[in-house]
Amino acid sequence: MTAPFPTPKTDESQRLLSPEELEAALRDIGARRYHNLHPFHRLLHDGKLNKDQVRAWALNRYYYQAMIPVKDAAVLARMEDASLRRVWRQRIVDHDGDAPGDGGIERWLKLAEGVGFRRDYVESTQGILSATRFSVDAYVHFVKERSLLEAIASSLTEMFSPTIISERVAGMLKNYDFITKDTLAYFDKRLTQAPRDAEFAIDYVKQHATTPELQRQAMAALTFKCNVLWTQLDALYFSYVAPGMTPPDAWTPGTGLVPEVAQAAGTGTIRSGDVPRLPRGVRLRHDEVRGQHVLLAPERTFDLDANAVAVLSLVDGQRSVRDIAVKLAETFTADPDVIEVDVLAMLNDLATKRVLER
Amino acid sequence: MNAITPNTPSLPAPVGLLAELTHRCPLRCPYCSNPLELDRRSGELDTATWQRVLTEAAGLGVLHVHLSGGEPTARSDIVEITQTCAKLGLYSNLITSGVGGALAKLDALYDAGLDHVQLSVQGVDAANAEKIGGLKNAQPQKFAFAERVTQLGLPLTLNSVIHRGNIHEVEGFIDLAVKLGAKRLEVAHTQYYGWAYVNRAALMPDKAQVDQSIRIVEAARERLKGQLVIDLVVPDYYAKYPKACAGGWGRKLMNVTPAGKVLPCHAAETIKHLEFWYVSDHSLADIWANSPAFTAYRGTDWMKEPCRSCDRREKDWGGCRCQALALAGDAAATDPACSLSPLHSKVRELAKEEAAETPPDYVYRTIGSNVDRVAPPPLKEDAPL
């Protein structure tokens, strides 16, 4: 039985691989260890994560995105060849942009905002998992401390990213109604940027890893980087999927969100697709003494007319507003679109009074 | 159900029952709505009697039961009583201080079918709140209680009684309600009956403060629309027209005291000549329809001028009888909080004077005190109309 994550052989006597063999060996590392294989990513792509779990991912991953230019600047600082620097500096431009509101970090912030976060909360990184911070910081330290060859080889995960990105975009758009094409704009750019960057890096590694020892170092560097990515998903899984052990200071659902989103936990405008429900403490009751239906709520009673009773009897926490309108339209042989307008007006009035939620 | 329909055809059925289960309370708020003479534990109704009263109330048409006190969770049978409400379809509202044993009983109350919790908060700043409530370390207990209420998914209302000792905290009460996850906030200016009447000079805010508090509430209502409902009760003494006390005398509400005396409103005992009936002697339906205390000021027949010919007489029902007695010396007079009362300008002046003076110390509520003698005397008209 082979270990799932073997470390590269340390045998000094291994033979020198041809450049093509080296590339194949590097690609093999990705095929076995890249984070598209991680259970958390499978859940993400298959639409199995709930909105808060997607939020946790977007929030934590921001720290990785934000530190990429710091990492690339550290790599750049070690390059003594101007032609190398001219190529590498493009990575920083891609991420930071040429002006405020531009670049990969900005597009990631848009993604985080798209799932409901406040920008300042995301930028503060105060809610990220320690494991995220440790992993990303380890990556930055790695490129500072190791050889330039290892620093460049560690970036080679980009060889594998186009696969994960297309899977991710298609899966998320299909499975999450809160994700739009605009939210995922970050990945559009990366689809063209990553192969260009990876091509340069693999050429560099193939050209400069000229001894078995250097080839081993390049493979170890890529393995390290795969682990940087994998560990971040381990931590997300542990904290937000199972067993759900969130560290004391890490983000918890409901915090860091823009006010409208924070409210959306039950309040706010009710729309056609929403499923309304009567929360605990609000009850529809027939009042035998007065011979009418009433809605009992905190410190008040609503007298209900026949229409209101017809609507509220269908509010069961299962049916959407649309379902209710269609059902009423059948009963009263009327146009569901016309009925829906009235139903929405009534339900929103009750929602404003805090006796109906969604 | 028809068997106990009251014998007056036009008589509406009561919608609310204020069940003062006990007068015992860990807090000693100087504006407490309980009477100055508090019932002792030995005189409290037993569980079976409360259950009978609740059954009769449901039959009579009561929809909401306000489990109040004192501190209702001080009763060892509070869970059983709540269960009875749930069984009868009565909407149960726990009006609590959230201190003492309240938190320990909350989960059981939830399981018993409790519908709603109204938690009192005396102030925002802990030291101020604890000075007003007269109990050290009350504030953290209240916050822990509120947190558990919302964790359980029970709707939470915060009730803040506003007076000169906390009127600067109105904005803070609103923020606190949002922070604690309350759906409703009551910003209720003190009504000056009972203990609050005794402490009036210590509690009366000035007009500018009152106006400012109203502006703050109105702005917050707009800002927090759909998130927090804020009910505002403005202080009588500064109002143009009085409130329909308890929705009109004997029209909507019954109040049962710990000892089983049935009142049309919680302050009604201040009107000494009224005859109150007890649940031990009469059915609730009989009391509602026929008890002398309920019939005394029900409707409009008892009214004098200017109420009698006023077109608002069936809107505010002449205001508060207890306040009319306290301020005008006559329970059948127009509530002096009304701008049409000949005493109204005096009431305004008095509020202004008291608010301008250095507040005296609070007279804290306590069982077995005799503070009647320190209550302010009624006002006198300078000249007949």
Side-chain angles (χ1 to χ4, degrees):
Chain A
M1 187 183 146
T2 50
F5 306 113
T7 48
K9 292 188 182 69
T10 51
D11 182 5
E12 296 294 333
S13 69
Q14 66 181 287
R15 68 182 177 85
L16 181 68
L17 304 175
S18 72
E20 291 69 33
E21 283 175 320
L22 176 62
E23 183 174 341
L26 291 166
R27 287 190 184 279
D28 182 54
I29 291 170
R32 286 180 292 111
R33 319 179 70 149
Y34 190 54
H35 64 168
N36 65 329
L37 301 171
H38 195 285
F40 190 90
H41 253 159
R42 293 259 59 92
L43 294 173
L44 177 68
H45 300 163
D46 296 347
K48 300 280 169 56
L49 296 182
N50 65 34
K51 198 167 183 174
D52 283 323
Q53 291 166 329
V54 173
R55 283 177 175 148
W57 169 75
L59 177 72
N60 277 273
R61 173 93 185 178
Y62 169 79
Y63 185 62
Y64 176 74
Q65 302 298 344
M67 291 302 281
I68 288 297
V70 174
K71 183 270 298 182
D72 282 321
V75 176
L76 194 69
R78 308 185 55 190
M79 291 175 161
E80 291 172 4
D81 181 341
S83 63
L84 275 185
R85 288 199 301 270
R86 269 196 294 277
V87 176
W88 205 267
R89 75 185 183 200
Q90 188 56 42
R91 291 168 178 255
I92 300 176
V93 173
D94 287 347
H95 252 74
D96 286 345
D98 275 325
D102 185 27
I105 296 177
E106 175 63 29
R107 282 192 291 276
W108 195 272
L109 281 166
K110 289 261 163 50
L111 187 152
E113 286 178 318
V115 296
F117 279 112
R118 286 198 331 259
R119 166 178 290 250
D120 64 321
Y121 179 77
V122 178
E123 286 177 321
S124 77
T125 75
Q126 69 187 59
I128 67 168
L129 297 163
S130 303
T132 304
R133 196 179 301 281
F134 296 157
S135 306
V136 171
D137 291 352
Y139 185 29
V140 176
H141 291 309
F142 183 91
V143 304
K144 284 180 183 167
E145 289 159 8
R146 301 301 182 96
S147 67
L148 185 58
L149 173 70
E150 288 170 295
I152 290 175
S154 68
S155 75
L156 283 172
T157 44
E158 276 162 346
M159 289 194 295
F160 323 123
S161 70
T163 333
I164 199 174
I165 288 173
S166 22
E167 270 180 30
R168 187 183 286 158
V169 170
M172 289 178 74
L173 282 176
K174 178 161 163 273
N175 292 308
Y176 297 114
D177 60 2
F178 55 91
I179 299 280
T180 65
K181 200 92 185 61
D182 286 348
T183 312
L184 297 180
Y186 171 83
F187 299 112
D188 294 346
K189 288 273 185 188
R190 290 310 297 161
L191 272 171
T192 53
Q193 290 166 352
R196 180 203 65 205
D197 293 346
E199 198 179 329
F200 171 84
I202 187 73
D203 285 347
Y204 180 92
V205 170
K206 279 153 80 175
Q207 206 181 325
H208 291 82
T210 50
T211 69
E213 166 61 11
L214 291 175
Q215 289 185 340
R216 192 192 63 77
Q217 285 176 8
M219 287 189 273
L222 180 56
T223 305
F224 166 81
K225 172 61 184 305
C226 285
N227 290 347
V228 164
L229 297 171
W230 192 275
T231 305
Q232 291 177 60
L233 297 183
D234 278 351
L236 282 169
Y237 195 97
F238 184 79
S239 183
Y240 297 108
V241 180
M245 279 175 61
T246 306
D249 295 333
W251 177 76
T252 49
T255 47
L257 306 178
V258 292
E260 301 89 273
V261 178
Q263 275 191 21
T267 65
T269 307
I270 292 172
R271 299 194 171 81
S272 177
D274 290 326
V275 177
R277 63 185 183 91
L278 296 177
R280 170 120 181 186
V282 181
R283 289 195 274 122
L284 182 63
R285 211 199 100 170
H286 187 256
D287 173 0
E288 281 94 10
V289 172
R290 295 170 190 81
Q292 60 173 7
H293 277 89
V294 288
L295 191 67
L296 299 177
E299 314 274 356
R300 51 190 311 186
T301 305
F302 297 85
D303 293 338
L304 303 174
D305 62 17
N307 291 338
V309 174
V311 174
L312 288 174
S313 310
L314 296 173
V315 170
D316 60 359
Q318 308 280 325
R319 292 186 180 91
S320 68
V321 175
R322 186 65 196 167
D323 296 340
I324 292 169
V326 168
K327 183 97 181 149
L328 289 171
E330 280 168 19
T331 315
F332 298 103
T333 19
D335 181 351
D337 290 343
V338 174
I339 289 196
E340 189 178 287
V341 173
D342 290 344
V343 171
L344 279 171
M346 183 198 144
L347 295 180
N348 275 306
D349 179 47
L350 292 174
T352 306
K353 293 174 175 141
R354 292 297 264 123
V355 296
L356 188 109
E357 298 187 349
R358 65 189 168 96
Chain B
M1 300 272 170
N2 292 334
I4 50 168
T5 300
N7 59 8
T8 316
S10 63
L11 182 62
V15 290
L17 180 81
L18 181 63
E20 287 180 351
L21 299 175
T22 178
H23 278 157
R24 288 171 283 142
C25 184
L27 297 187
R28 301 183 291 138
C29 306
Y31 47 75
C32 182
S33 63
N34 288 160
L36 300 179
E37 279 171 61
L38 297 164
D39 289 347
R40 289 167 193 279
R41 182 181 198 152
S42 52
E44 290 177 6
L45 298 181
D46 63 12
T47 312
T49 306
W50 273 116
Q51 288 173 324
R52 173 177 61 81
V53 168
L54 291 168
T55 309
E56 290 179 2
L60 191 53
V62 165
L63 300 170
H64 282 255
V65 173
H66 308 281
L67 301 169
S68 180
E71 172 51 51
T73 62
R75 288 275 304 207
S76 60
D77 57 359
I78 182 67
V79 174
E80 271 174 275
I81 288 172
T82 305
Q83 240 158 12
T84 304
C85 290
K87 237 178 262 166
L88 294 164
L90 292 167
Y91 190 98
S92 54
N93 173 23
L94 183 76
I95 300 179
T96 179
S97 64
V99 302
L103 179 58
K105 289 178 181 170
L106 186 54
D107 282 35
L109 288 167
Y110 173 86
D111 292 336
L114 182 67
D115 286 303
H116 172 239
V117 174
Q118 189 199 105
L119 173 68
S120 70
V121 276
Q122 282 66 34
V124 178
D125 172 68
N128 190 40
E130 289 166 12
K131 179 186 171 229
I132 295 163
L135 180 72
K136 287 249 177 288
N137 203 33
Q139 198 80 334
Q141 293 182 61
K142 284 170 180 282
F143 290 175
F145 182 85
E147 193 182 338
R148 188 63 191 151
V149 171
T150 51
Q151 260 174 13
L152 288 168
L154 276 170
L156 174 68
T157 292
L158 285 195
N159 172 274
S160 57
V161 174
I162 304 298
H163 46 83
R164 74 193 287 182
N166 65 6
I167 196 164
H168 61 285
E169 294 188 310
V170 168
E171 190 90 62
F173 279 119
I174 294 164
D175 293 343
L176 184 64
V178 171
K179 197 177 126 208
L180 294 176
K183 293 183 181 185
R184 286 181 72 252
L185 169 68
E186 294 180 357
V187 176
H189 279 272
T190 308
Q191 305 298 310
Y192 295 97
Y193 330 121
W195 293 89
Y197 188 70
V198 171
N199 282 297
R200 192 177 64 197
L203 297 169
M204 184 67 74
D206 71 32
K207 179 91 166 59
Q209 289 175 309
V210 170
D211 291 345
Q212 170 70 1
S213 73
I214 294 169
R215 278 195 298 272
I216 289 170
V217 167
E218 281 167 356
R221 274 179 176 158
E222 194 53 42
R223 187 173 77 242
L224 299 169
K225 197 174 173 184
Q227 185 177 357
L228 182 71
V229 174
I230 308 176
D231 280 0
L232 175 68
V233 180
V234 296
D236 257 335
Y237 285 34
Y238 292 115
K240 188 170 181 199
Y241 297 115
K243 287 181 309 302
C245 187
W249 187 275
R251 305 195 74 77
K252 294 197 159 175
L253 194 74
M254 300 185 94
N255 180 12
V256 182
T257 70
K261 198 189 277 189
V262 188
L263 319 175
C265 86
H266 55 67
E269 285 174 282
T270 58
I271 306 173
K272 300 291 181 197
H273 68 264
L274 289 179
E275 181 193 337
F276 302 101
W277 288 1
Y278 283 79
V279 295
S280 47
D281 305 328
H282 301 269
S283 75
L284 220 49
D286 188 17
I287 296 171
W288 177 251
N290 304 315
S291 138
F294 277 85
T295 55
Y297 302 110
R298 180 180 274 146
T300 55
D301 289 351
W302 57 272
M303 286 180 178
K304 301 179 177 177
E305 292 297 351
C307 289
R308 199 171 182 82
S309 59
C310 181
D311 59 4
R312 295 179 55 85
R313 67 185 179 277
E314 293 198 355
K315 283 197 180 103
D316 54 38
W317 304 98
C320 174
R321 297 304 88 230
C322 308
Q323 188 151 273
L325 176 69
L327 293 175
D330 175 6
T334 296
D335 182 347
C338 181
S339 55
L340 301 171
S341 159
L343 289 169
H344 185 68
S345 59
K346 284 221 148 197
V347 168
R348 283 257 176 148
E349 260 170 53
L350 181 117
K352 205 172 150 189
E353 278 165 25
E354 287 185 344
E357 281 164 21
T358 310
D361 290 342
Y362 295 142
V363 178
Y364 286 108
R365 93 163 226 161
T366 168
I367 291 184
S369 76
N370 182 13
V371 290
D372 267 322
R373 60 200 151 79
V374 296
L379 298 166
K380 289 208 177 60
E381 281 180 65
D382 291 332
L385 273 181

